[in-house]
Amino acid sequence: MLLELRGKVKAGRICRMSDLGKGQRGRVLNIKVDNPALRRRLFDMGITRGVEFEIKKISPLGDPVDIALRGYELCLRKSSMEQIEVEVLA
Amino acid sequence: MKIALVGNQNSGKTTLFNLLTGSNQKVGNWPGVTIDRKSGIIKGTDFELIDLPGIYSLSPYTPEEEISRKFLLEENPDLIINIVDATSLERSLYLTTQLLELDTKLLLVLNMSDILLKKGIFIDVEKLKAELQIDIVQISAFRGTGIDELIACLKKQNIKDNPKLKIYPAYVEKTIGEIESKIGLANGRFIAVKLLERDRLFGDLMDESIEQKVKALERFYEMDMEEGIAYFRYEWIEGTIRKALRHVAKSNSVSDKLDKVFLNKYLGIPIFVVIMTLVYLLSVGVVGGTTVEWIDAKVNQFKEVVATGLAERGASDWSISLLTDGVITGVGSVLNFVPQLLMLFLCISILETTGYMSRIAFLLDKLLRRFGLSGKALIPFIVGSGCSVPGVMATRTVEDSKEREMLITLTPFVPCSARLPIISLFAGYFFDKYMGLVTASFYFLAILVIIISAINLKKVLYKDVNSSYVSELPEFRVPDVRYVARDVWEKTWGFVKRAGTVIFFCSVIIWVLLSFSWRFEYGVPIDKSILASIGNLLSWFFYPILGEFSWGATVSAIQGLVAKEQVVSSMSIIAGFSGDVNRELIFAKDGIFGFFTPASAYAFMAFNIFSAPCLAAISAMNKEFGSTKKTLRAVAYQTWLAWVIATIIHLLGLVIGGIS
């Protein structure tokens, strides 16, 4: 299961944003969200190709997840993060 | 001069609006939606300032963004003030890049300049001005600094024209230019960009030749232009920021340290429970408990004074009764709740301004998602346990309009404090030692009712609710005292005004129905009154719940519409004992309510707790729905569900009673 890899995805690998563990950093490669409103909302909040982010906080129930990008923090559900392809930086 | 105030949520927009306009404000509604439209006159000028909703973008997907767009394009303000949180400049400028495409002049206000240094951020304002080619004023809305400079700047009226910066790659700019000259409309650049994004609100301007141009761009950049435009905007912002902003990395901020506790894996949820219990105890328990009786006594005293005063001056019986039993009793029942509401609003306002409210949503989103709701849904429920009116009003914090409508229907199911007297009357007599258990059972039942309703509403009425959750997590902040005071005052006064007027009219109507016979004789015995005959007419409705045709119980349940605790006093009056409520006498075997059994008592309680809330709450629902039809539908649903539940309880009771 990918879940067990949490926090252990190696740098340089390409995976889903939801695969990253707390404290890991990544770069967005592709946003493959099918819901048009959600997709646009992600763009508007600064999730665009090439943007770097860090997984900062995880809700005690394991979901949603708080990421830092563009100088602020954004909460996302894992189901949304699963549709974002990223490159692991560290 | 007409000025629009535009900015992100949490940018300090409302604080700035209050600082600029003082008490000179008007609150209305935007056409077609229930979002407040605030406007005011800027101090020392005759400029009108319109506060647009807090938005991050001008996309066509949320009502707030649509309203803002419509206003900017159609009402042609003379100037846009764009307030920007300087501590998250990169994301904030995204909205600015969209405003830079309009024809309207633009003034950028950098807020929170006072905490920039603390965060290790240095902004070179002159460089930023040069990059954006618009005027910039620095302020701190929290400290109230820079406001005079801002007003002075507005007064000079020599603000630069919108530079309409060319921020996109040359190929995109060329296409924008072509579309712009082809359509030849005001705000042409803005509309041209929207056409590239295939914005649905400009669908009728789209034609084959534009479609071809967009397709060519999409092939070239290998992404659709909705993504492309957002991408180019942020590319440009990144470049601008690199020139004008320097960020010295600081170790963990205070906010992050606080989050280590408040969002802690093991402590986060217990802390939430403690905070909510405190809020509940403070408002409903401490403040509510001490003030309700005190105000009740004062209202009764006042009633006596008015009654004797009028009697001495020779006023007729009926006019004294109208004023005391009708108006003062009715309106007094609203006043009872004001202190606890004040406390509740204060707690909520503090939770909101500190940033904890956003964290509640973050903590509990997973739990509520299953029922088509997001974490924010919990806030109206918690507030609703005090009083449904602010509970319904608190649904405003939820962004998705469909989810908000679901919540408006669900929130009144939470037993508010006015429903507790009903439980104490019935449970105290029929279940005596187990009263605590019975009370608790209704809270559990409420949770069950909410979950089942949420699932059903989602299936039937709100199929397309896609409660997504993409939300900024603002930093923890020290609450702004003036903002909180004003917020609490506005909400409380709003409640008093609305509940007061509704209750006033309804009390008078019920008083008339209760005091007169069909022949309009005053002072008839209660069982000859119009209300009694209405009760008789409707008593079949309660037969499955009560196992008896009882006009008295029917009338009392109807009185619950005025205020839920009225059910109790109504039963007391009908049983013939106005004044102090005495359980033993009300339920005396040979009396009018002697037919009640434990099963029918439980069922009748359930009906009163879950059926249509009081009229004050219904009027709040109406305001939030913005549609009488939707309100009636919701109230009908609540009453139907309460009837079904009560009937089932009664039947179950009969079966269990039959066995034992």
Side-chain angles (χ1 to χ4, degrees):
Chain A
M1 282 293 287
L2 273 165
L3 250 171
E4 285 159 22
L5 286 172
R6 285 189 57 78
K8 290 172 194 158
V9 189
K10 288 206 185 83
R13 264 195 56 178
I14 290 168
C15 61
R16 305 174 301 182
M17 192 190 251
S18 53
D19 295 330
L20 267 64
K22 195 169 166 176
Q24 281 201 290
R25 289 195 300 112
R27 179 187 293 128
V28 171
L29 296 178
N30 203 349
I31 299 117
K32 297 183 277 191
V33 178
D34 34 17
N35 174 348
L38 174 62
R39 184 167 177 268
R40 174 59 182 263
R41 179 106 169 123
L42 293 175
F43 295 152
D44 286 343
M45 298 309 280
I47 300 197
T48 55
R49 288 183 200 189
V51 70
E52 290 181 15
F53 62 90
E54 183 189 334
I55 308 279
K56 285 232 26 187
K57 296 156 194 172
I58 297 174
S59 169
L61 299 175
D63 189 11
V65 175
D66 173 62
I67 66 170
L69 79 163
R70 301 196 186 277
Y72 82 108
E73 288 180 28
L74 181 72
C75 307
L76 293 171
R77 282 182 181 167
K78 276 195 180 158
S79 58
S80 314
M81 297 168 74
E82 277 167 8
Q83 302 176 67
I84 301 169
E85 193 181 82
V86 302
E87 179 194 347
V88 184
L89 293 178
Chain B
M1 195 156 86
K2 196 152 76 175
I3 304 174
L5 182 59
V6 183
N8 292 168
Q9 287 163 26
N10 305 309
S11 63
K13 194 167 60 66
T14 308
T15 311
L16 175 63
F17 181 76
N18 290 341
L19 283 170
L20 284 176
T21 60
S23 55
N24 208 338
Q25 296 184 4
K26 254 191 343 213
V27 185
N29 259 348
W30 295 96
V33 284
T34 53
I35 299 162
D36 279 341
R37 184 193 202 270
K38 268 193 187 176
S39 65
I41 304 295
I42 297 177
K43 283 181 208 162
T45 68
D46 55 358
F47 305 154
E48 188 192 8
L49 185 68
I50 295 108
D51 188 22
L52 297 186
I55 49 171
Y56 292 102
S57 169
L58 291 169
S59 89
Y61 293 105
T62 72
E64 286 82 1
E65 292 174 353
E66 267 183 54
I67 292 168
S68 306
R69 247 161 87 140
K70 237 181 149 170
F71 180 85
L72 295 174
L73 290 176
E74 290 170 13
E75 296 200 34
N76 291 318
D78 301 285
L79 173 72
I80 298 168
I81 297 180
N82 179 200
I83 179 168
V84 154
D85 174 358
T87 63
S88 49
L89 195 61
E90 189 170 337
R91 191 216 49 228
S92 308
L93 284 180
Y94 180 75
L95 181 61
T96 312
T97 60
Q98 302 183 48
L99 300 173
L100 276 169
E101 280 155 11
L102 294 161
D103 291 348
T104 317
K105 290 178 179 183
L106 186 63
L107 173 68
L108 196 75
V109 171
L110 276 182
N111 189 22
M112 309 191 206
S113 34
D114 55 320
I115 48 175
L116 280 176
L117 274 180
K118 258 188 239 159
K119 295 198 72 185
I121 300 171
F122 301 90
I123 294 179
D124 186 334
V125 179
E126 287 312 312
K127 267 204 183 127
L128 194 61
K129 262 187 205 167
E131 288 298 319
L132 296 170
Q133 297 176 36
I134 51 175
D135 293 303
I136 299 178
V137 180
Q138 277 182 289
I139 65 157
S140 163
F142 182 77
R143 295 189 191 284
T145 55
I147 304 302
D148 294 338
E149 289 85 335
L150 176 57
I151 294 179
C153 178
L154 293 173
K155 273 184 178 164
K156 269 191 274 166
Q157 295 203 352
N158 61 349
I159 290 160
K160 282 189 206 122
D161 276 330
N162 196 323
K164 297 193 193 162
L165 296 177
K166 302 221 178 318
I167 63 170
Y168 303 107
Y171 183 17
V172 181
E173 284 296 348
K174 183 172 151 279
T175 313
I176 291 172
E178 285 166 10
I179 298 175
E180 200 182 337
S181 56
K182 181 169 182 283
I183 54 175
L185 291 169
N187 294 306
R189 182 173 167 84
F190 180 85
I191 296 172
V193 173
K194 292 294 151 196
L195 286 172
L196 288 190
E197 291 177 327
R198 298 176 199 277
D199 190 298
R200 61 183 168 91
L201 298 181
F202 287 111
D204 45 343
L205 285 175
M206 199 72 176
D207 65 19
E208 194 47 39
S209 75
I210 298 175
E211 180 68 38
Q212 287 308 324
K213 288 189 211 293
V214 179
K215 274 196 178 133
L217 279 175
E218 291 178 340
R219 269 195 307 274
F220 185 81
Y221 290 105
E222 292 179 325
M223 54 180 150
D224 75 58
M225 276 302 110
E226 190 166 27
E227 177 172 4
I229 294 291
Y231 174 79
F232 297 136
R233 285 188 202 282
Y234 273 114
E235 283 277 280
W236 181 82
I237 294 168
E238 281 174 32
T240 306
I241 294 236
R242 241 173 272 136
K243 289 176 205 153
L245 184 139
R246 208 151 50 85
H247 195 169
V248 182
K250 285 247 168 155
S251 56
N252 268 0
S253 69
V254 181
S255 182
D256 277 340
K257 281 178 194 149
L258 285 173
D259 272 336
K260 285 224 159 60
V261 181
F262 284 99
L263 297 179
N264 182 283
K265 200 169 175 181
Y266 305 102
L267 293 176
I269 302 229
I271 289 175
F272 161 77
V273 172
V274 169
I275 289 178
M276 282 305 133
T277 314
L278 271 178
V279 169
Y280 185 81
L281 286 180
L282 264 177
S283 48
V284 180
V286 179
V287 174
T290 51
T291 54
V292 165
E293 278 174 36
W294 184 79
I295 293 178
D296 222 28
K298 287 285 162 214
V299 169
N300 278 329
Q301 265 178 26
F302 181 60
K303 219 155 78 176
E304 303 263 306
V305 171
V306 171
T308 45
L310 284 175
E312 278 167 13
R313 281 163 187 76
S316 59
D317 275 358
W318 71 264
S319 60
I320 295 174
S321 173
L322 169 63
L323 216 66
T324 54
D325 300 333
V327 175
I328 298 179
T329 307
V331 175
S333 71
V334 176
L335 289 181
N336 269 343
F337 290 100
V338 171
Q340 66 186 53
L341 277 184
L342 211 77
M343 194 66 207
L344 203 62
F345 286 140
L346 178 66
C347 292
I348 292 167
S349 191
I350 291 173
L351 291 182
E352 257 167 12
T353 47
T354 49
Y356 189 69
M357 215 56 124
S358 309
R359 278 155 181 87
I360 294 181
F362 185 65
L363 282 171
L364 295 153
D365 179 69
K366 195 180 178 185
L367 212 64
L368 287 134
R369 189 183 312 169
R370 271 170 244 204
F371 318 118
L373 303 170
S374 72
K376 285 185 182 168
L378 218 71
I379 298 153
F381 294 159
I382 294 162
V383 178
S385 66
C387 175
S388 300
V389 174
V392 167
M393 283 158 63
T395 57
R396 268 183 227 175
T397 48
V398 173
E399 285 146 37
D400 184 274
S401 63
K402 291 281 172 51
E403 191 189 341
R404 192 160 52 215
E405 286 185 9
M406 262 173 81
L407 274 179
I408 299 168
T409 313
L410 297 176
T411 303
F413 283 131
V414 179
C416 68
S417 53
R419 290 170 230 191
L420 298 180
I422 305 176
I423 301 180
S424 102
L425 171 69
F426 281 92
Y429 183 79
F430 290 100
F431 302 99
D432 191 23
K433 270 184 287 184
Y434 303 105
M435 196 171 123
L437 206 63
V438 170
T439 312
S441 77
F442 280 113
Y443 282 99
F444 282 110
L445 204 56
I447 294 172
L448 212 65
V449 165
I450 287 169
I451 290 174
I452 293 170
S453 299
I455 294 171
N456 283 332
L457 285 176
K458 193 170 148 67
K459 266 192 195 139
V460 183
L461 278 180
Y462 301 108
K463 279 188 204 100
D464 49 341
V465 172
N466 222 320
S467 93
S468 65
Y469 173 69
V470 180
S471 175
E472 181 185 357
L473 192 75
E475 293 209 317
F476 272 116
R477 273 182 202 148
V478 180
D480 180 345
V481 178
R482 280 163 308 164
Y483 176 86
V484 169
R486 186 168 190 135
D487 187 45
V488 171
W489 164 250
E490 275 173 9
K491 283 189 185 143
T492 311
W493 179 235
F495 168 82
V496 171
K497 240 179 13 193
R498 190 141 33 85
T501 43
V502 171
I503 295 285
F504 176 84
F505 284 114
C506 298
S507 316
V508 171
I509 290 168
I510 297 231
W511 175 85
V512 169
L513 297 180
L514 194 66
S515 310
F516 288 91
S517 71
W518 283 110
R519 277 191 234 136
F520 236 70
E521 299 157 309
Y522 172 72
V524 289
I526 200 161
D527 56 329
K528 299 278 187 304
S529 67
I530 301 176
L531 199 59
S533 63
I534 294 175
N536 267 321
L537 211 66
L538 295 176
S539 60
W540 55 268
F541 182 83
F542 287 93
Y543 184 78
I545 299 171
L546 300 170
E548 184 83 25
F549 292 103
S550 165
W551 68 267
T554 308
V555 163
S556 301
I558 296 173
Q559 292 239 52
L561 283 174
V562 175
K564 284 286 170 182
E565 74 272 22
Q566 284 272 332
V567 175
V568 173
S569 57
S570 163
M571 286 182 67
S572 177
I573 290 167
I574 289 171
F577 315 96
S578 60
D580 289 336
V581 175
N582 182 323
R583 291 171 194 149
E584 307 299 324
L585 291 174
I586 289 178
F587 295 116
K589 279 289 159 236
D590 51 351
I592 188 165
F593 294 120
F595 65 86
F596 267 109
T597 63
S600 59
Y602 206 112
F604 192 62
M605 277 192 278
F607 180 82
N608 279 300
I609 288 168
F610 297 121
S611 64
C614 68
L615 284 160
I618 295 176
S619 84
M621 286 168 70
N622 194 36
K623 168 132 198 281
E624 296 306 317
F625 271 129
S627 144
T628 315
K629 198 180 130 206
K630 283 177 183 166
T631 309
L632 291 177
R633 194 171 66 184
V635 169
Y637 170 74
Q638 288 161 344
T639 309
W640 170 80
L641 190 68
W643 186 87
V644 170
I645 293 168
T647 304
I648 293 173
I649 290 175
H650 187 214
L651 290 177
L652 278 179
L654 287 183
V655 171
I656 295 167
I659 294 165
S660 60

